[in-house]
Structure formats: C-alpha cells, structure tokens
Amino acid sequence: MAITDWPEDERPREKLLAHGAENLSDAELLALFLRVGVKGKSAVDLSRDLLLHFGSLQALFHAPHNALCQVHGMGSAKYCQLQAVLEMSKRALQEELRQTDAFTSPAAVKAFLKLRLRSLDHEEFHALFLNTAHQLISAETLFKGSLSETRIYPREVARRALTLNAAAVIVAHNHPSGSPQASDADIHITQQLRNTLETIDVTLLDHCIIAAHQVISMAELGLL
C-alpha cells in the first residue's frame, strides 16, 4: 500500500505537522528524506530495510559511498543528500556554539563533538577554542592517530590558542573501541594540557571522550 493510501494521521508528513518531528520514528523521518520508495515498497518500507541493513541511523549516515549504492533504491544522489544533511547538522551546532556560552551549554557541546568524532575508526584529537565569553572561535582537528592511539602535544595546543587569542579551550578525543573509560594516559595528558595552558593564562574547561553514543566529561567526573 502506498503511503498516500494510509490513514491521514499515520502518514509521516501529516504526523510531523500535527505532532512535531520528535514524535516520528527513525524510519518515518528517513522516509520523509527519501520521499519515494521502490517497486513493491513504500518509502517507510525502504527506510526500515535500510535501518535493518546498516543497524542504525548513525551507521547509515556514515556508510561508505559504495556500500550505500549497493542497496536497491539508493545511489550517489541519495549519498550526497545524506552527507549534506550531516554537514548541515554540524554547521548548525557550530553556529549555536558561536552565539552561546559553551561552558553553560554542555548539551550543545556534547552534541557537536559527537557529530565530529563518534563515527571515526581511528583516534583523533579535536579542540574548541573559545573567547572570553566562552563562545566558539574555532573548532579544529589537531592530531590524528592509529586505530587505538594518537600522540598529543600540549605545546601545540597552547601555540594554537595563542594564535587565535583564545581565553579557554575544550578538548576532545574519541575511543574507536567504544569504551568510554578515561585511561591513565587520558588523565595524564589532561593534567599536562591544563598546566601548559595555565602558563599562557588560558583555561582548560573540559576534556571529553567520545565513545559510540556516549560523551564522557572529565570535568564532570572531577578528573580535570
């Protein structure tokens, strides 16, 4: 049955208009994005198949181009659309951080860092450089590593903070293994970063660890 033949209050578009996007399932939201299905399947049916095939919305959004194109009903155009949606989400959150106090908006900071780091299969170290009002000046990838580790140089973070005239910094890295636990090395480098930045009168506000769907704040854990 085509979606147009469904009861009106069950159609994704009408449901969104009546109750808001937050009340739609992942499959219904994806169906609105796809707009059409394939022969024998509605857009919602195709969406369910995609979520089942890739495992989650996150995995779908980060699926390689060739993997997505192998699914019947998908192709390069849909891949480009998905990547555009993902990038717009990142930029919207980045704009929010430029206009608000990042220190008092931890949810926005965590959402932004999750979008940047959670899908990577190798470790990366990112930094958010903030002004005196704790608004975002720049979000940058500073170091990249192997599957399990990356080398972090506090003096390079400090040098970049000076270049940007930053007053505070939030740093983050990911754990591709999926474990959210802060290692002894994570705690040690955090202390080194804090001490190095203090010498140039820059505050280290937090060090976040991104693992799968979790964001661990070392400041909230009292490890900073």
Side-chain angles (χ1 to χ4, degrees), residues 9-182:
D9 60 354
E10 292 182 16
R11 300 175 198 168
R13 185 178 301 169
E14 284 74 9
K15 191 173 175 181
L16 185 150
L17 291 172
H19 306 291
E22 66 275 10
N23 288 296
L24 271 64
S25 67
D26 289 351
E28 289 171 329
L29 288 170
L30 186 56
L32 284 174
F33 168 80
L34 295 174
R35 295 178 51 228
V36 295
V38 294
K39 186 176 181 180
K41 292 181 181 179
S42 69
V44 173
D45 293 329
L46 177 58
S47 298
R48 288 174 180 150
D49 287 351
L50 284 166
L51 293 172
L52 183 63
H53 179 80
F54 290 101
S56 67
L57 271 178
Q58 176 193 342
L60 172 63
F61 270 95
H62 293 96
H65 176 224
N66 62 341
L68 192 70
C69 290
Q70 288 174 5
V71 178
H72 180 55
M74 303 300 287
S76 294
K78 285 291 190 289
Y79 174 81
C80 290
Q81 286 178 269
L82 284 169
Q83 295 308 303
V85 169
L86 187 61
E87 183 59 27
M88 284 191 291
S89 298
K90 292 178 184 178
R91 294 186 187 189
L93 284 169
Q94 187 164 316
E95 286 178 16
E96 182 178 349
L97 292 179
R98 290 187 189 280
Q99 299 167 9
T100 60
D101 183 337
F103 189 58
T104 59
S105 304
V109 171
K110 290 178 180 179
F112 179 62
L113 292 172
K114 279 172 68 176
L115 277 176
R116 286 176 67 98
L117 285 160
R118 70 182 178 184
S119 64
L120 300 176
D121 60 2
H122 61 279
E123 278 201 11
E124 289 191 3
F125 181 87
H126 292 204
L128 308 183
F129 296 96
L130 312 174
N131 61 19
T132 54
H134 292 161
Q135 295 170 324
L136 184 66
I137 300 171
S138 181
E140 303 184 2
T141 304
L142 296 185
F143 309 110
K144 296 182 179 182
S146 64
L147 180 65
S148 60
E149 66 175 28
T150 185
R151 295 188 181 277
I152 298 167
Y153 301 97
R155 67 180 180 275
E156 296 299 329
V157 181
R159 181 176 296 141
R160 189 62 182 146
L162 283 171
T163 299
L164 294 169
N165 195 29
V169 178
I170 295 173
V171 297
H173 77 281
N174 61 311
H175 282 180
S177 66
S179 170
Q181 293 291 336

Side-chain angles (χ1 to χ4, degrees), residues 102-111 113 170-171 182 190 204-209 214-224:
F103 189 58
T104 59
S105 304
V109 171
K110 290 178 180 179
L113 292 172
I170 295 173
V171 297
T190 301
L204 180 63
L205 294 179
D206 205 350
H207 183 174
C208 295
I209 299 171
Q214 301 182 72
V215 180
I216 304 302
S217 163
M218 295 181 73
E220 291 176 1
L221 294 175
L223 297 174
L224 186 59

